[in-house]
Amino acid sequence: MNATVDSGKTISVLRFGSPGNLVVERDNGVHTLRDGNYQLNILAWRVATVGGGPNMAENYSFGDEEVDGFFRFFGDGDGDRDTDVADLGQFGAAFRSRSGDDHFNSDFDVDGDDDVDVADLGQFGQRFRERMDF
């Protein structure tokens, strides 16, 4: 994990390890989470302050409450935990696009091959009108 500071806020980028129960390797070699609810636990003793200040005061969990919205559900373009007509409209706008096109949306490129095509439509269709509960 790498961290940067921007306007006084720490920004961390998480990368997911080897494919397994929770991680899928896409065609482009990038790993992504499988559909599901997730929780990130940050252990205070593992967080150091730049310049030798005190460590983080207490452990922190993100994703242990529904309001955190820490989940992956392919096809849910608006993040409301379902795939409905609104998501279908977003998918339709991205359909038959490639990386670099104005209407390309990588959120709908499930296999990571830099286009939104029939393979992605099949995956979207399997989830259409489904809901992911917390």
Side-chain angles (χ1 to χ4, degrees):
M1 179 175 75
N2 294 325
T4 59
V5 177
D6 184 17
S7 302
K9 294 182 180 181
T10 302
I11 300 170
S12 297
V13 176
L14 305 176
R15 302 211 189 284
F16 304 104
S18 301
N21 291 342
L22 302 176
V23 177
V24 177
E25 183 170 1
R26 296 169 48 171
D27 290 351
N28 61 3
V30 173
H31 297 160
T32 188
L33 294 171
R34 292 188 189 277
D35 288 352
N37 293 296
Y38 293 91
Q39 184 173 342
L40 173 67
N41 296 308
I42 302 170
L43 304 176
W45 69 272
R46 300 285 306 226
V47 179
T49 305
V50 176
N55 285 4
M56 198 164 92
E58 59 186 49
N59 295 340
Y60 180 77
S61 290
F62 181 80
D64 58 340
E65 296 181 26
E66 185 173 5
V67 70
D68 292 337
F70 189 23
F71 65 96
R72 164 89 159 99
F73 188 41
F74 176 73
D76 179 16
D78 54 14
D80 63 354
R81 293 186 169 273
D82 64 20
T83 53
D84 57 15
V85 173
D87 304 303
L88 180 60
Q90 289 183 41
F91 185 91
F95 189 60
R96 295 189 176 167
S97 66
R98 300 191 60 73
S99 179
D101 293 348
D102 288 341
H103 56 282
F104 176 72
N105 183 339
S106 63
D107 291 343
F108 295 113
D109 179 17
V110 72
D111 53 11
D113 62 353
D114 291 328
D115 63 20
V116 180
D117 59 11
V118 149
D120 305 304
L121 177 60
Q123 290 294 315
F124 182 87
Q126 288 179 18
R127 293 165 176 85
F128 189 60
R129 297 186 184 248
E130 296 291 325
R131 175 164 183 75
M132 175 175 288
D133 293 322
F134 176 70

